[in-house]
Amino acid sequence: AAAAAPAAAPAPAVKPPKMPDPDAPKFKFGENGVEGKCAICGQYVIKGGVKFREKSVLCAEDAERQAKIGNPYRATPGRR
C-alpha cells in the first residue's frame, strides 16, 4: 500500500501591496519645516529647507542660487 502524503497546510492569504496615497505629502516635515537632503549640495537640511519641485528639498543657500540659475532673464515660460 502506498503511504498517504500528508495534507499540505493552506497557504496564508497574501495581502496586496499597499499603494501610496496620492494626496499624502511627499516631504518630510520636522519641527522647523521641511527637512531632508539638499538636491544640489547633498547637505542634510534641518532648518530653513525649501521645497523644490515635487519631492526634493534645497538648503537656503542653494535655494537663492537656484532661483537665479533657473530664470536668468526673468521671463515667464511659454511667453515670447
Side-chain angles (χ1 to χ4, degrees):
V14 177
K15 294 181 183 178
K18 185 178 178 184
M19 297 301 292
D21 183 14
D23 298 328
K26 295 175 174 64
F27 297 96
K28 180 178 177 185
F29 289 96
E31 294 179 10
N32 297 313
V34 180
E35 64 180 49
K37 191 172 181 181
C38 177
I40 296 176
C41 67
Q43 179 181 5
Y44 195 82
V45 180
I46 297 174
K47 294 182 181 178
V50 178
K51 295 178 185 178
F52 179 63
R53 299 196 180 157
E54 288 187 28
K55 300 189 286 186
S56 301
V57 176
L58 295 178
C59 60
E61 297 84 27
D62 288 333
E64 294 173 12
R65 200 174 315 149
Q66 181 63 28
K68 293 177 187 174
I69 293 170
N71 193 3
Y73 302 110
R74 306 280 187 240
T76 304
R79 305 283 263 162
R80 294 183 179 208

